[in-house]
Amino acid sequence: MVRALDNGAEGGVWYTLWDKFTTPQALSNAFAKVKANRGAAGVDHMSIQDFERDKDKHLEQLHQSLRSGTYRPAAIRRRYIPKAGSKELRPLGIPTVRDRVVQAALLAAMEPIFERNFSETSFGFRPGRNAHQAIERVEHLLNAGYKWVVDVDLKAYFDTVSHPRLMSLVRQRIADGRVLGLIETFLKQPVDEDGQRWTPIVGTPQGAVMSPVLANVYLNPLDHHMAKQGYEMTRYADDFVIQCKTEADARRALGEVSRWCDDVALTVHPTKTRVVRVSAQDGFDFLGYHFRERGSDPTQTMLWPREKSRKNFRATLKPLTKRTNGSSLTTIVSKVNPILRGFHAYFKKSVRASLERLDKWIRARLRTILRRRSGRRGRSGGQDHKQWPNSYFATLGLFSLAKTPVQLVLPLRG
């Protein structure tokens, strides 16, 4: 017999969820999250600051429109941003602040419902979980002998999610018709791009507050399917690897995931997906890191920032360290340091030598600035190292990637 719960659920299915996220307090909490995440204005040109000036009025209007059933989301403004370490551009959808508030409130109500059934081997965009935990799990499995890796790339994942299948998965946990209708409305929000407006029939809008949890809902069955088949899969959003002990198992795993994706209208990229045996000579990239076997000890793994991560690092710092920069070196260092600290916070598990090379590169950039100011042309050379040794930059407070003590990442989950 199904036991009715006071919180609006029966047998794990929520029949009355609308009132949980449309209260004035829920909307106020949602705006606080939207404000913390910042972001640009949508098609109505209302910024977060504009919304906040009349916050009480805007929140009350949202509350009343949701209560009366007259709320309708506006179109999404689409813009394109550079892909890290690539010349390609990535589409980004920007909902209005008003719509982001509603989505954030709905997300706060939905997330705990689906979290109960999400896999322990899924780490992306989930409370209490992060990329470092996924990286630690992959490293742990490599050290345990799971060195045949299926490096899977899903082609245009967020743009190819099937709306009917996604909604069927949502209905397994939510039966509130108003909530289901609102989610479908968000999926079908018109997109405003260069004066043209069109309505998507597939995909989840990148940039929307709810997209990450919906993306996890869509791939959660894959997590459980692969685990049931006995495969060790680690997933962060649409980025995942499968680790095996033999090549035969890895080939079978690739076939299994390819069949599953075909059934749900997803495409395994034919050229970017590969099977690799991790060794001291070959490895794979995952979540910004490159993984290799340690040559001196095959039972251990080495990690360092992948090529695209290093390229993006240099591209970010080059404008701040041009040889023509007229600011004082102290000022330049003060602008460079936050970027170095952020990079180190994520890549602190890297082998020391890889971080030392990046330290050397940034010091060379600074020496070139000093060289030009002393009336000499060209890049820094050997004599510059004597005139401005590494200790000189340390006295200026330049953050060192390699000499900063490594702090442990969060404990391994799953």
Side-chain angles (χ1 to χ4, degrees), residues 265-284:
L266 296 178
T267 303
V268 173
H269 202 293
T271 58
K272 293 183 179 179
T273 298
R274 68 187 189 120
V275 174
V276 58
R277 201 286 184 187
V278 178
S279 65
Q281 291 75 40
D282 199 6
F284 66 99

Side-chain angles (χ1 to χ4, degrees), residues 65 69-74 98-99 185:
S65 63
T70 59
Y71 168 79
R72 297 292 183 274
R98 174 176 173 268
D99 292 340
T185 301

Side-chain angles (χ1 to χ4, degrees), residues 289-326:
Y289 274 94
H290 183 75
F291 294 74
R292 287 276 182 100
E293 187 180 85
R294 189 179 293 275
S296 59
D297 184 359
T299 64
Q300 295 299 310
T301 303
M302 293 194 304
L303 289 75
W304 60 78
R306 67 173 184 168
E307 183 180 352
K308 282 188 177 180
S309 300
R310 300 193 304 271
K311 183 177 180 181
N312 188 49
F313 171 83
R314 291 190 290 265
T316 303
L317 287 170
K318 279 182 178 179
L320 299 175
T321 56
K322 289 182 178 179
R323 68 184 70 186
T324 56
N325 192 323

Side-chain angles (χ1 to χ4, degrees), residues 101-370:
V101 170
V102 176
Q103 287 197 30
L106 178 55
L107 176 63
M110 283 178 52
E111 194 170 58
I113 296 171
F114 291 101
E115 269 294 319
R116 299 175 183 178
N117 299 100
F118 282 165
S119 168
E120 284 295 309
T121 61
S122 163
F123 296 90
F125 305 107
R126 296 181 57 191
R129 289 169 169 260
N130 57 41
H132 279 152
Q133 293 168 340
I135 291 163
E136 281 237 318
R137 183 174 194 271
V138 170
E139 183 183 14
H140 171 77
L141 288 168
L142 287 171
N143 293 341
Y146 291 81
K147 298 195 176 186
W148 280 96
V149 177
V150 187
D151 183 6
V152 182
D153 185 281
L154 295 182
K155 189 176 182 179
Y157 169 66
F158 285 93
D159 293 332
T160 56
V161 168
S162 163
H163 289 178
R165 176 173 173 80
L166 175 59
M167 291 308 301
S168 72
L169 293 170
V170 172
R171 288 189 187 95
Q172 292 177 11
R173 292 289 175 263
I174 297 175
D176 188 321
R178 289 179 296 177
V179 174
L180 293 171
L182 182 60
I183 295 171
E184 286 195 272
T185 301
F186 281 133
L187 289 174
K188 292 178 169 58
Q189 275 181 272
V191 176
D192 198 314
E193 182 177 2
D194 296 330
Q196 301 294 319
R197 186 165 290 193
W198 53 277
T199 301
I201 58 174
V202 293
T204 60
Q206 295 189 54
V209 177
M210 288 180 54
S211 284
V213 72
L214 293 177
N216 277 332
V217 167
Y218 202 81
L219 287 177
N220 183 54
L222 175 62
D223 297 334
H224 293 289
H225 174 74
M226 296 303 287
K228 188 176 180 180
Q229 299 297 317
Y231 296 113
E232 296 287 355
M233 187 172 101
T234 305
R235 183 173 66 83
Y236 190 96
D238 62 326
D239 197 356
F240 61 93
V241 293
I242 306 162
Q243 293 173 254
C244 304
K245 289 192 172 182
T246 68
E247 181 179 8
D249 283 346
R251 298 290 176 189
R252 281 192 290 270
L254 176 56
E256 193 68 38
V257 76
S258 297
R259 284 189 292 273
W260 189 92
C261 287
D262 285 342
D263 290 342
V264 300
L266 296 178
T267 303
V268 173
H269 202 293
T271 58
K272 293 183 179 179
T273 298
R274 68 187 189 120
V275 174
V276 58
R277 201 286 184 187
V278 178
S279 65
Q281 291 75 40
D282 199 6
F284 66 99
D285 297 337
F286 183 58
L287 298 181
Y289 274 94
H290 183 75
F291 294 74
R292 287 276 182 100
E293 187 180 85
R294 189 179 293 275
S296 59
D297 184 359
T299 64
Q300 295 299 310
T301 303
M302 293 194 304
L303 289 75
W304 60 78
R306 67 173 184 168
E307 183 180 352
K308 282 188 177 180
S309 300
R310 300 193 304 271
K311 183 177 180 181
N312 188 49
F313 171 83
R314 291 190 290 265
T316 303
L317 287 170
K318 279 182 178 179
L320 299 175
T321 56
K322 289 182 178 179
R323 68 184 70 186
T324 56
N325 192 323
S327 301
S328 69
L329 209 60
T330 302
T331 299
I332 295 173
V333 167
S334 70
K335 292 180 178 180
V336 163
N337 274 347
I339 298 169
L340 297 177
R341 290 193 180 96
F343 188 86
H344 180 266
Y346 189 80
F347 289 105
K348 56 193 171 187
K349 287 184 66 66
S350 302
V351 293
R352 188 184 183 92
S354 67
L355 299 179
E356 285 176 342
R357 284 192 289 272
L358 294 176
D359 274 342
K360 182 178 179 181
W361 177 83
I362 190 65
R363 286 193 299 264
R365 299 280 298 180
L366 297 178
R367 286 190 181 102
T368 300
I369 294 173
L370 293 170

Side-chain angles (χ1 to χ4, degrees), residues 27-37:
L27 294 172
S28 180
N29 294 341
F31 173 71
K33 293 179 180 178
V34 170
K35 179 183 176 182
N37 289 335

